[in-house]
Amino acid sequence: MIRVGVITISDRGYRGEREDTSGEVIQEMVRRMGAEVEFSTVVPDEQERIKEVLIQGADKMGLDLIVTTGGTGVSPRDVTPEATREVIEREIPGFAEAMRIMGVKKTPHAMISRAVCGVRGRTLIVNLPGSPKAVQEGLEVILTAIPHTIAKIQGDPRECGE
Amino acid sequence: MIRVGVITISDRGYRGEREDTSGEVIQEMVRRMGAEVEFSTVVPDEQERIKEVLIQGADKMGLDLIVTTGGTGVSPRDVTPEATREVIEREIPGFAEAMRIMGVKKTPHAMISRAVCGVRGRTLIVNLPGSPKAVQEGLEVILTAIPHTIAKIQGDPRECGE
Amino acid sequence: MIRVGVITISDRGYRGEREDTSGEVIQEMVRRMGAEVEFSTVVPDEQERIKEVLIQGADKMGLDLIVTTGGTGVSPRDVTPEATREVIEREIPGFAEAMRIMGVKKTPHAMISRAVCGVRGRTLIVNLPGSPKAVQEGLEVILTAIPHTIAKIQGDPRECGE
């Protein structure tokens, strides 16, 4: 079973000024695909804090998938992509690309997301934007590719297309 | 009001061997969206010159938006993406991506553009290709996202989606 | 005439455990566009070996185009994008982007490809995924843009759009 961590990145959420609806949307969606949410937390928009919790989820907990929500935009406090890029070993540009392209069909604002997706060790890390709607639409786009991607990251030797 | 700089990057334009139609198309389009063109110039395809004028527009003039045209291809003299990447602090990949994807629907040559978009301080910097047609089609794709992006860059604290 | 090298990157292919169908598909397709295949080889998924053969094709043989197949995924042995990025001087993101976007319309797995395309000297280098189907579909997307791109890389001074 795919073991998942969900990280909500939001100054307001961390201070308790905003409900974590986006984190809940992610939990629901990954459970529906048969995965298990082992860990969920809210951290402020601080690069070092984000890095720490990503590393903890990947290296200490050995999660298969970490999904973040928030901090992917262009506001001065948005540093999720920077934190993510610092901890991943390989980027998978097509995930963020696909989410933006599908998003732009609904709203041009989707092109602002600087979300980064990539691999650290055996863990797939995926950034999603902050709004519950963007989370749902974005995750929808990549969900069916996730189990195969994790299997490959963790060394499934079958040929693609087999 | 959004204050804009327009930079045409072209050896031929700089030598007066080519009319700056693309620069004029940009000026017209950003004015139509209610922005003010404060600055426009033509520079040759030289990385240091491009960097200088980008930095001047961003740091000294404090422009909200700088739009460049030209030098985004793969010819030996095309160095606009390199110059831009050196001056921006954060890249916004979705802007160039969206322009290419829409462009490719019209001509496969659109996929050659190496245009870079990103942020320096409070300034949004956008590369467009050199041809007037590519400029119009590209700018059309991102135009509606620009005011919101600039507001966010400059610290508008409202949640996206509010 | 466009002079092409084809490199199949596959541990299994190198050990003779798998037929090089993907390499053959590439050879057929580039010949049909009027290009000449001067060189084709199979190398294992080893970064240094891939780099060597790319450099040989570009610098020693002066090929116009090198197409690779395989090693673009997220398996631990997939290192083609890393090897390619190390040898290119300029990336052309729109090529890989366009292939992924068209691919995703057929299968969500297409978004996993980390293929890199770019320029080394006068040589265009293009990564394709490993499966014959992905190779055909991907190459189809970029084929019509290739002659123009090579002409530009090698210094054709005509304006784009002329």
Side-chain angles (χ1 to χ4, degrees), chain A residues 90-95 97-98 101 119 141-142 144-145 148-149 152-153 155-157 159-160 162, chain C residues 10 12 18 73-79 82 96-97 100-101 104-105 108-109 111-114 131:
Chain A
R90 316 170 124 193
E91 188 166 348
I92 312 177
F95 275 62
E97 210 176 80
I101 291 158
V119 181
V141 170
I142 60 169
T144 53
H148 176 71
T149 305
K152 285 291 173 186
I153 290 170
D156 175 352
E159 303 281 327
C160 287
E162 259 179 40
Chain C
S10 164
R12 291 185 181 185
R18 175 184 155 176
V74 293
S75 297
R77 295 281 298 164
D78 289 328
V79 293
E82 282 72 22
E97 208 176 82
R100 276 192 296 262
I101 291 157
V104 166
K105 289 181 184 171
H109 292 177
M111 72 179 79
I112 301 172
S113 169
R114 303 182 301 118
S131 90

mmCIF file of all heavy atoms in Angstrom, chain A residues 90-95 97-98 101 119 141-142 144-145 148-149 152-153 155-157 159-160 162, chain C residues 10 12 18 73-79 82 96-97 100-101 104-105 108-109 111-114 131:
data_model
loop_
_atom_site.group_PDB
_atom_site.id
_atom_site.type_symbol
_atom_site.label_atom_id
_atom_site.label_comp_id
_atom_site.label_asym_id
_atom_site.label_seq_id
_atom_site.Cartn_x
_atom_site.Cartn_y
_atom_site.Cartn_z
ATOM 1 N N ARG A 90 16.107 14.314 -8.353
ATOM 2 C CA ARG A 90 15.742 14.347 -9.770
ATOM 3 C C ARG A 90 14.387 15.017 -9.897
ATOM 4 O O ARG A 90 13.461 14.665 -9.192
ATOM 5 C CB ARG A 90 15.592 12.930 -10.323
ATOM 6 C CG ARG A 90 16.664 11.984 -9.900
ATOM 7 C CD ARG A 90 16.279 10.570 -10.303
ATOM 8 N NE ARG A 90 17.326 10.018 -11.113
ATOM 9 C CZ ARG A 90 17.222 8.923 -11.831
ATOM 10 N NH1 ARG A 90 16.085 8.264 -11.877
ATOM 11 N NH2 ARG A 90 18.224 8.487 -12.533
ATOM 12 N N GLU A 91 14.283 15.940 -10.826
ATOM 13 C CA GLU A 91 12.992 16.583 -11.065
ATOM 14 C C GLU A 91 12.214 15.792 -12.118
ATOM 15 O O GLU A 91 12.803 15.196 -13.022
ATOM 16 C CB GLU A 91 13.222 18.032 -11.546
ATOM 17 C CG GLU A 91 11.936 18.816 -11.633
ATOM 18 C CD GLU A 91 12.148 20.320 -11.760
ATOM 19 O OE1 GLU A 91 13.286 20.810 -11.567
ATOM 20 O OE2 GLU A 91 11.155 21.014 -12.069
ATOM 21 N N ILE A 92 10.888 15.765 -11.984
ATOM 22 C CA ILE A 92 10.025 15.175 -13.022
ATOM 23 C C ILE A 92 9.168 16.317 -13.573
ATOM 24 O O ILE A 92 8.046 16.554 -13.105
ATOM 25 C CB ILE A 92 9.125 14.058 -12.460
ATOM 26 C CG1 ILE A 92 9.946 13.064 -11.610
ATOM 27 C CG2 ILE A 92 8.407 13.320 -13.584
ATOM 28 C CD1 ILE A 92 9.095 11.967 -10.973
ATOM 29 N N PRO A 93 9.667 17.049 -14.559
ATOM 30 C CA PRO A 93 8.983 18.288 -14.971
ATOM 31 C C PRO A 93 7.579 18.061 -15.526
ATOM 32 O O PRO A 93 6.719 18.933 -15.404
ATOM 33 C CB PRO A 93 9.907 18.865 -16.050
ATOM 34 C CG PRO A 93 10.798 17.755 -16.486
ATOM 35 C CD PRO A 93 10.898 16.812 -15.320
ATOM 36 N N GLY A 94 7.328 16.882 -16.079
ATOM 37 C CA GLY A 94 6.036 16.634 -16.730
ATOM 38 C C GLY A 94 4.848 16.646 -15.785
ATOM 39 O O GLY A 94 3.726 16.905 -16.213
ATOM 40 N N PHE A 95 5.070 16.386 -14.513
ATOM 41 C CA PHE A 95 3.955 16.390 -13.566
ATOM 42 C C PHE A 95 3.432 17.826 -13.375
ATOM 43 O O PHE A 95 2.238 18.078 -13.525
ATOM 44 C CB PHE A 95 4.391 15.812 -12.206
ATOM 45 C CG PHE A 95 4.308 14.327 -12.119
ATOM 46 C CD1 PHE A 95 5.069 13.519 -12.939
ATOM 47 C CD2 PHE A 95 3.451 13.706 -11.225
ATOM 48 C CE1 PHE A 95 5.002 12.127 -12.868
ATOM 49 C CE2 PHE A 95 3.366 12.316 -11.138
ATOM 50 C CZ PHE A 95 4.137 11.533 -11.951
ATOM 51 N N GLU A 97 4.032 20.400 -15.193
ATOM 52 C CA GLU A 97 3.644 20.863 -16.526
ATOM 53 C C GLU A 97 2.207 20.442 -16.838
ATOM 54 O O GLU A 97 1.387 21.268 -17.237
ATOM 55 C CB GLU A 97 4.585 20.159 -17.499
ATOM 56 C CG GLU A 97 4.965 20.808 -18.765
ATOM 57 C CD GLU A 97 5.996 19.889 -19.448
ATOM 58 O OE1 GLU A 97 5.603 18.888 -20.079
ATOM 59 O OE2 GLU A 97 7.190 20.169 -19.308
ATOM 60 N N ALA A 98 1.918 19.170 -16.649
ATOM 61 C CA ALA A 98 0.581 18.648 -16.961
ATOM 62 C C ALA A 98 -0.480 19.327 -16.099
ATOM 63 O O ALA A 98 -1.560 19.674 -16.578
ATOM 64 C CB ALA A 98 0.546 17.128 -16.766
ATOM 65 N N ILE A 101 -0.998 22.911 -17.430
ATOM 66 C CA ILE A 101 -1.678 22.945 -18.727
ATOM 67 C C ILE A 101 -3.167 22.689 -18.568
ATOM 68 O O ILE A 101 -3.995 23.381 -19.150
ATOM 69 C CB ILE A 101 -1.049 21.902 -19.678
ATOM 70 C CG1 ILE A 101 0.353 22.364 -20.045
ATOM 71 C CG2 ILE A 101 -1.893 21.734 -20.928
ATOM 72 C CD1 ILE A 101 1.235 21.231 -20.497
ATOM 73 N N VAL A 119 11.961 13.452 -7.131
ATOM 74 C CA VAL A 119 12.249 12.220 -6.393
ATOM 75 C C VAL A 119 13.357 12.470 -5.382
ATOM 76 O O VAL A 119 14.373 13.100 -5.704
ATOM 77 C CB VAL A 119 12.737 11.127 -7.375
ATOM 78 C CG1 VAL A 119 13.005 9.827 -6.631
ATOM 79 C CG2 VAL A 119 11.726 10.915 -8.494
ATOM 80 N N VAL A 141 -5.159 15.316 -12.205
ATOM 81 C CA VAL A 141 -4.391 15.180 -13.442
ATOM 82 C C VAL A 141 -3.288 14.119 -13.320
ATOM 83 O O VAL A 141 -3.027 13.367 -14.256
ATOM 84 C CB VAL A 141 -3.760 16.537 -13.848
ATOM 85 C CG1 VAL A 141 -2.766 16.390 -14.988
ATOM 86 C CG2 VAL A 141 -4.840 17.544 -14.197
ATOM 87 N N ILE A 142 -2.664 14.058 -12.144
ATOM 88 C CA ILE A 142 -1.482 13.197 -12.004
ATOM 89 C C ILE A 142 -1.777 11.878 -11.290
ATOM 90 O O ILE A 142 -0.949 10.972 -11.294
ATOM 91 C CB ILE A 142 -0.336 13.928 -11.263
ATOM 92 C CG1 ILE A 142 -0.764 14.358 -9.851
ATOM 93 C CG2 ILE A 142 0.132 15.137 -12.067
ATOM 94 C CD1 ILE A 142 0.403 14.844 -8.990
ATOM 95 N N THR A 144 -3.488 9.121 -11.677
ATOM 96 C CA THR A 144 -3.378 7.794 -12.302
ATOM 97 C C THR A 144 -1.931 7.434 -12.649
ATOM 98 O O THR A 144 -1.621 6.261 -12.832
ATOM 99 C CB THR A 144 -4.228 7.700 -13.589
ATOM 100 O OG1 THR A 144 -3.870 8.782 -14.437
ATOM 101 C CG2 THR A 144 -5.704 7.778 -13.268
ATOM 102 N N ALA A 145 -1.065 8.438 -12.736
ATOM 103 C CA ALA A 145 0.338 8.138 -13.049
ATOM 104 C C ALA A 145 1.155 7.830 -11.792
ATOM 105 O O ALA A 145 2.276 7.324 -11.885
ATOM 106 C CB ALA A 145 0.963 9.303 -13.810
ATOM 107 N N HIS A 148 2.377 3.886 -10.783
ATOM 108 C CA HIS A 148 3.418 3.427 -11.711
ATOM 109 C C HIS A 148 4.735 4.180 -11.465
ATOM 110 O O HIS A 148 5.820 3.575 -11.471
ATOM 111 C CB HIS A 148 2.931 3.664 -13.146
ATOM 112 C CG HIS A 148 3.933 3.339 -14.200
ATOM 113 N ND1 HIS A 148 4.297 2.048 -14.505
ATOM 114 C CD2 HIS A 148 4.647 4.129 -15.032
ATOM 115 C CE1 HIS A 148 5.186 2.063 -15.483
ATOM 116 N NE2 HIS A 148 5.430 3.317 -15.820
ATOM 117 N N THR A 149 4.639 5.479 -11.233
ATOM 118 C CA THR A 149 5.841 6.283 -10.993
ATOM 119 C C THR A 149 6.559 5.811 -9.736
ATOM 120 O O THR A 149 7.788 5.645 -9.735
ATOM 121 C CB THR A 149 5.472 7.775 -10.857
ATOM 122 O OG1 THR A 149 4.754 8.170 -12.021
ATOM 123 C CG2 THR A 149 6.712 8.640 -10.704
ATOM 124 N N LYS A 152 8.344 2.531 -10.304
ATOM 125 C CA LYS A 152 9.578 2.726 -11.067
ATOM 126 C C LYS A 152 10.687 3.325 -10.212
ATOM 127 O O LYS A 152 11.837 2.899 -10.252
ATOM 128 C CB LYS A 152 9.299 3.650 -12.267
ATOM 129 C CG LYS A 152 8.546 2.977 -13.392
ATOM 130 C CD LYS A 152 9.437 1.949 -14.050
ATOM 131 C CE LYS A 152 8.724 1.104 -15.069
ATOM 132 N NZ LYS A 152 9.593 0.035 -15.576
ATOM 133 N N ILE A 153 10.333 4.348 -9.427
ATOM 134 C CA ILE A 153 11.319 4.992 -8.548
ATOM 135 C C ILE A 153 11.952 3.952 -7.630
ATOM 136 O O ILE A 153 13.152 3.985 -7.368
ATOM 137 C CB ILE A 153 10.635 6.090 -7.689
ATOM 138 C CG1 ILE A 153 10.223 7.279 -8.552
ATOM 139 C CG2 ILE A 153 11.524 6.534 -6.538
ATOM 140 C CD1 ILE A 153 9.324 8.283 -7.837
ATOM 141 N N GLY A 155 12.333 0.893 -8.182
ATOM 142 C CA GLY A 155 13.138 -0.120 -8.832
ATOM 143 C C GLY A 155 12.435 -1.246 -9.546
ATOM 144 O O GLY A 155 13.078 -2.210 -9.956
ATOM 145 N N ASP A 156 11.115 -1.158 -9.754
ATOM 146 C CA ASP A 156 10.407 -2.167 -10.553
ATOM 147 C C ASP A 156 11.100 -2.290 -11.911
ATOM 148 O O ASP A 156 11.153 -1.341 -12.676
ATOM 149 C CB ASP A 156 8.946 -1.696 -10.728
ATOM 150 C CG ASP A 156 8.156 -2.604 -11.655
ATOM 151 O OD1 ASP A 156 8.748 -3.503 -12.273
ATOM 152 O OD2 ASP A 156 6.936 -2.422 -11.733
ATOM 153 N N PRO A 157 11.647 -3.452 -12.216
ATOM 154 C CA PRO A 157 12.479 -3.570 -13.410
ATOM 155 C C PRO A 157 11.705 -3.846 -14.701
ATOM 156 O O PRO A 157 12.311 -3.959 -15.753
ATOM 157 C CB PRO A 157 13.384 -4.758 -13.078
ATOM 158 C CG PRO A 157 12.540 -5.622 -12.201
ATOM 159 C CD PRO A 157 11.582 -4.721 -11.472
ATOM 160 N N GLU A 159 9.785 -3.396 -18.136
ATOM 161 C CA GLU A 159 9.827 -2.374 -19.172
ATOM 162 C C GLU A 159 8.540 -1.550 -19.115
ATOM 163 O O GLU A 159 7.468 -2.102 -18.876
ATOM 164 C CB GLU A 159 9.879 -3.022 -20.570
ATOM 165 C CG GLU A 159 11.019 -3.967 -20.793
ATOM 166 C CD GLU A 159 12.314 -3.234 -21.072
ATOM 167 O OE1 GLU A 159 12.273 -2.166 -21.679
ATOM 168 O OE2 GLU A 159 13.375 -3.729 -20.682
ATOM 169 N N CYS A 160 8.629 -0.248 -19.383
ATOM 170 C CA CYS A 160 7.422 0.538 -19.546
ATOM 171 C C CYS A 160 6.701 0.013 -20.778
ATOM 172 O O CYS A 160 7.319 -0.269 -21.804
ATOM 173 C CB CYS A 160 7.748 2.009 -19.748
ATOM 174 S SG CYS A 160 8.300 2.778 -18.231
ATOM 175 N N GLU A 162 5.139 -2.775 -20.843
ATOM 176 C CA GLU A 162 4.897 -4.223 -20.676
ATOM 177 C C GLU A 162 3.560 -4.438 -20.010
ATOM 178 O O GLU A 162 3.127 -3.618 -19.211
ATOM 179 C CB GLU A 162 6.001 -4.835 -19.780
ATOM 180 C CG GLU A 162 7.070 -5.556 -20.587
ATOM 181 C CD GLU A 162 8.158 -6.130 -19.696
ATOM 182 O OE1 GLU A 162 7.830 -6.655 -18.625
ATOM 183 O OE2 GLU A 162 9.338 -6.052 -20.074
ATOM 184 N N SER C 10 20.123 1.252 -23.169
ATOM 185 C CA SER C 10 19.389 0.152 -22.550
ATOM 186 C C SER C 10 20.363 -0.910 -22.072
ATOM 187 O O SER C 10 21.137 -1.472 -22.855
ATOM 188 C CB SER C 10 18.432 -0.449 -23.592
ATOM 189 O OG SER C 10 17.975 -1.722 -23.167
ATOM 190 N N ARG C 12 19.534 -3.886 -21.070
ATOM 191 C CA ARG C 12 19.111 -5.146 -21.688
ATOM 192 C C ARG C 12 19.500 -5.209 -23.166
ATOM 193 O O ARG C 12 19.906 -6.251 -23.653
ATOM 194 C CB ARG C 12 17.598 -5.288 -21.587
ATOM 195 C CG ARG C 12 17.129 -5.506 -20.178
ATOM 196 C CD ARG C 12 15.645 -5.760 -20.200
ATOM 197 N NE ARG C 12 15.150 -5.956 -18.849
ATOM 198 C CZ ARG C 12 13.908 -6.296 -18.553
ATOM 199 N NH1 ARG C 12 13.027 -6.458 -19.536
ATOM 200 N NH2 ARG C 12 13.545 -6.453 -17.310
ATOM 201 N N ARG C 18 17.395 -7.813 -25.568
ATOM 202 C CA ARG C 18 16.209 -7.122 -26.060
ATOM 203 C C ARG C 18 16.525 -6.588 -27.443
ATOM 204 O O ARG C 18 17.578 -5.987 -27.644
ATOM 205 C CB ARG C 18 15.897 -5.966 -25.095
ATOM 206 C CG ARG C 18 14.768 -5.087 -25.527
ATOM 207 C CD ARG C 18 14.621 -3.930 -24.550
ATOM 208 N NE ARG C 18 13.999 -2.807 -25.204
ATOM 209 C CZ ARG C 18 13.675 -1.681 -24.615
ATOM 210 N NH1 ARG C 18 13.921 -1.512 -23.334
ATOM 211 N NH2 ARG C 18 13.111 -0.714 -25.275
ATOM 212 N N GLY C 73 13.213 7.724 -17.890
ATOM 213 C CA GLY C 73 12.223 7.582 -16.824
ATOM 214 C C GLY C 73 12.767 7.879 -15.442
ATOM 215 O O GLY C 73 13.726 8.655 -15.286
ATOM 216 N N VAL C 74 12.177 7.269 -14.419
ATOM 217 C CA VAL C 74 12.545 7.545 -13.025
ATOM 218 C C VAL C 74 13.117 6.334 -12.311
ATOM 219 O O VAL C 74 13.274 6.342 -11.099
ATOM 220 C CB VAL C 74 11.334 8.086 -12.226
ATOM 221 C CG1 VAL C 74 10.939 9.461 -12.732
ATOM 222 C CG2 VAL C 74 10.145 7.125 -12.286
ATOM 223 N N SER C 75 13.402 5.262 -13.070
ATOM 224 C CA SER C 75 14.046 4.101 -12.448
ATOM 225 C C SER C 75 15.457 4.493 -12.010
ATOM 226 O O SER C 75 16.050 5.407 -12.586
ATOM 227 C CB SER C 75 14.148 2.950 -13.452
ATOM 228 O OG SER C 75 12.861 2.526 -13.835
ATOM 229 N N PRO C 76 15.974 3.805 -11.002
ATOM 230 C CA PRO C 76 17.316 4.166 -10.509
ATOM 231 C C PRO C 76 18.379 4.175 -11.619
ATOM 232 O O PRO C 76 19.310 4.957 -11.575
ATOM 233 C CB PRO C 76 17.599 3.089 -9.461
ATOM 234 C CG PRO C 76 16.250 2.631 -8.999
ATOM 235 C CD PRO C 76 15.340 2.748 -10.186
ATOM 236 N N ARG C 77 18.242 3.311 -12.645
ATOM 237 C CA ARG C 77 19.234 3.232 -13.719
ATOM 238 C C ARG C 77 18.993 4.263 -14.828
ATOM 239 O O ARG C 77 19.814 4.357 -15.748
ATOM 240 C CB ARG C 77 19.227 1.817 -14.338
ATOM 241 C CG ARG C 77 19.672 0.710 -13.406
ATOM 242 C CD ARG C 77 21.169 0.608 -13.253
ATOM 243 N NE ARG C 77 21.868 0.301 -14.487
ATOM 244 C CZ ARG C 77 23.182 0.474 -14.629
ATOM 245 N NH1 ARG C 77 23.920 0.929 -13.626
ATOM 246 N NH2 ARG C 77 23.763 0.200 -15.772
ATOM 247 N N ASP C 78 17.903 5.006 -14.783
ATOM 248 C CA ASP C 78 17.615 5.969 -15.860
ATOM 249 C C ASP C 78 18.447 7.244 -15.701
ATOM 250 O O ASP C 78 18.172 8.055 -14.822
ATOM 251 C CB ASP C 78 16.123 6.336 -15.870
ATOM 252 C CG ASP C 78 15.239 5.192 -16.356
ATOM 253 O OD1 ASP C 78 15.693 4.410 -17.196
ATOM 254 O OD2 ASP C 78 14.081 5.113 -15.904
ATOM 255 N N VAL C 79 19.455 7.410 -16.546
ATOM 256 C CA VAL C 79 20.346 8.571 -16.397
ATOM 257 C C VAL C 79 20.547 9.336 -17.710
ATOM 258 O O VAL C 79 21.401 10.213 -17.794
ATOM 259 C CB VAL C 79 21.727 8.146 -15.852
ATOM 260 C CG1 VAL C 79 21.607 7.635 -14.426
ATOM 261 C CG2 VAL C 79 22.358 7.079 -16.752
ATOM 262 N N GLU C 82 20.338 13.166 -17.340
ATOM 263 C CA GLU C 82 21.505 13.703 -16.631
ATOM 264 C C GLU C 82 22.703 13.783 -17.593
ATOM 265 O O GLU C 82 23.413 14.789 -17.648
ATOM 266 C CB GLU C 82 21.868 12.817 -15.435
ATOM 267 C CG GLU C 82 20.983 13.012 -14.205
ATOM 268 C CD GLU C 82 19.580 12.447 -14.360
ATOM 269 O OE1 GLU C 82 19.377 11.563 -15.212
ATOM 270 O OE2 GLU C 82 18.681 12.905 -13.626
ATOM 271 N N ALA C 96 10.818 18.713 -25.547
ATOM 272 C CA ALA C 96 10.416 17.671 -24.604
ATOM 273 C C ALA C 96 9.000 17.939 -24.086
ATOM 274 O O ALA C 96 8.187 17.023 -23.927
ATOM 275 C CB ALA C 96 11.403 17.614 -23.433
ATOM 276 N N GLU C 97 8.728 19.210 -23.860
ATOM 277 C CA GLU C 97 7.410 19.658 -23.391
ATOM 278 C C GLU C 97 6.329 19.226 -24.379
ATOM 279 O O GLU C 97 5.321 18.632 -23.986
ATOM 280 C CB GLU C 97 7.494 21.182 -23.350
ATOM 281 C CG GLU C 97 6.656 21.934 -22.400
ATOM 282 C CD GLU C 97 7.048 23.409 -22.553
ATOM 283 O OE1 GLU C 97 6.550 24.081 -23.488
ATOM 284 O OE2 GLU C 97 7.878 23.886 -21.757
ATOM 285 N N ARG C 100 5.763 15.500 -24.359
ATOM 286 C CA ARG C 100 5.027 15.034 -23.182
ATOM 287 C C ARG C 100 3.538 15.374 -23.288
ATOM 288 O O ARG C 100 2.674 14.561 -22.976
ATOM 289 C CB ARG C 100 5.599 15.655 -21.904
ATOM 290 C CG ARG C 100 6.800 14.909 -21.361
ATOM 291 C CD ARG C 100 7.144 15.377 -19.961
ATOM 292 N NE ARG C 100 7.558 16.769 -19.952
ATOM 293 C CZ ARG C 100 8.825 17.189 -19.955
ATOM 294 N NH1 ARG C 100 9.812 16.310 -19.953
ATOM 295 N NH2 ARG C 100 9.107 18.472 -19.932
ATOM 296 N N ILE C 101 3.257 16.605 -23.703
ATOM 297 C CA ILE C 101 1.864 17.048 -23.755
ATOM 298 C C ILE C 101 1.056 16.198 -24.728
ATOM 299 O O ILE C 101 -0.058 15.779 -24.429
ATOM 300 C CB ILE C 101 1.804 18.533 -24.164
ATOM 301 C CG1 ILE C 101 2.367 19.373 -23.020
ATOM 302 C CG2 ILE C 101 0.386 18.953 -24.491
ATOM 303 C CD1 ILE C 101 2.863 20.714 -23.483
ATOM 304 N N VAL C 104 0.632 12.693 -23.154
ATOM 305 C CA VAL C 104 -0.313 12.594 -22.044
ATOM 306 C C VAL C 104 -1.747 12.444 -22.551
ATOM 307 O O VAL C 104 -2.594 11.847 -21.892
ATOM 308 C CB VAL C 104 -0.163 13.810 -21.099
ATOM 309 C CG1 VAL C 104 -1.331 13.925 -20.157
ATOM 310 C CG2 VAL C 104 1.145 13.702 -20.311
ATOM 311 N N LYS C 105 -2.012 12.957 -23.758
ATOM 312 C CA LYS C 105 -3.362 12.783 -24.325
ATOM 313 C C LYS C 105 -3.671 11.308 -24.562
ATOM 314 O O LYS C 105 -4.818 10.915 -24.609
ATOM 315 C CB LYS C 105 -3.477 13.557 -25.640
ATOM 316 C CG LYS C 105 -3.494 15.069 -25.406
ATOM 317 C CD LYS C 105 -3.636 15.856 -26.694
ATOM 318 C CE LYS C 105 -3.546 17.362 -26.370
ATOM 319 N NZ LYS C 105 -3.463 18.180 -27.572
ATOM 320 N N PRO C 108 -1.386 8.744 -19.349
ATOM 321 C CA PRO C 108 -0.825 9.607 -18.300
ATOM 322 C C PRO C 108 0.639 9.273 -17.997
ATOM 323 O O PRO C 108 1.360 10.124 -17.476
ATOM 324 C CB PRO C 108 -1.718 9.334 -17.086
ATOM 325 C CG PRO C 108 -2.514 8.110 -17.403
ATOM 326 C CD PRO C 108 -2.576 8.000 -18.890
ATOM 327 N N HIS C 109 1.076 8.065 -18.334
ATOM 328 C CA HIS C 109 2.465 7.695 -18.060
ATOM 329 C C HIS C 109 3.457 8.566 -18.830
ATOM 330 O O HIS C 109 4.621 8.665 -18.461
ATOM 331 C CB HIS C 109 2.713 6.211 -18.371
ATOM 332 C CG HIS C 109 1.992 5.297 -17.437
ATOM 333 N ND1 HIS C 109 2.011 3.943 -17.550
ATOM 334 C CD2 HIS C 109 1.221 5.568 -16.350
ATOM 335 C CE1 HIS C 109 1.270 3.393 -16.585
ATOM 336 N NE2 HIS C 109 0.783 4.369 -15.855
ATOM 337 N N MET C 111 3.786 11.557 -18.799
ATOM 338 C CA MET C 111 4.278 12.698 -18.013
ATOM 339 C C MET C 111 5.515 12.347 -17.189
ATOM 340 O O MET C 111 6.165 13.228 -16.636
ATOM 341 C CB MET C 111 3.174 13.303 -17.152
ATOM 342 C CG MET C 111 2.726 12.511 -15.965
ATOM 343 S SD MET C 111 1.419 13.382 -15.008
ATOM 344 C CE MET C 111 -0.056 13.058 -15.990
ATOM 345 N N ILE C 112 5.841 11.067 -17.107
ATOM 346 C CA ILE C 112 7.011 10.637 -16.336
ATOM 347 C C ILE C 112 8.328 10.903 -17.073
ATOM 348 O O ILE C 112 9.388 10.985 -16.469
ATOM 349 C CB ILE C 112 6.899 9.126 -16.003
ATOM 350 C CG1 ILE C 112 5.623 8.872 -15.201
ATOM 351 C CG2 ILE C 112 8.111 8.645 -15.226
ATOM 352 C CD1 ILE C 112 5.312 7.398 -14.994
ATOM 353 N N SER C 113 8.258 11.044 -18.404
ATOM 354 C CA SER C 113 9.503 11.209 -19.165
ATOM 355 C C SER C 113 10.240 12.486 -18.766
ATOM 356 O O SER C 113 9.681 13.569 -18.756
ATOM 357 C CB SER C 113 9.204 11.261 -20.671
ATOM 358 O OG SER C 113 10.376 11.670 -21.359
ATOM 359 N N ARG C 114 11.514 12.324 -18.452
ATOM 360 C CA ARG C 114 12.351 13.472 -18.102
ATOM 361 C C ARG C 114 13.248 13.859 -19.283
ATOM 362 O O ARG C 114 14.277 14.525 -19.105
ATOM 363 C CB ARG C 114 13.209 13.134 -16.877
ATOM 364 C CG ARG C 114 12.382 12.710 -15.661
ATOM 365 C CD ARG C 114 13.260 12.422 -14.440
ATOM 366 N NE ARG C 114 14.222 11.378 -14.697
ATOM 367 C CZ ARG C 114 15.547 11.529 -14.664
ATOM 368 N NH1 ARG C 114 16.062 12.703 -14.329
ATOM 369 N NH2 ARG C 114 16.347 10.522 -14.935
ATOM 370 N N SER C 131 10.186 3.037 -25.230
ATOM 371 C CA SER C 131 9.284 2.120 -25.930
ATOM 372 C C SER C 131 9.093 2.544 -27.378
ATOM 373 O O SER C 131 9.041 3.738 -27.691
ATOM 374 C CB SER C 131 7.929 2.062 -25.215
ATOM 375 O OG SER C 131 7.051 3.030 -25.726
#
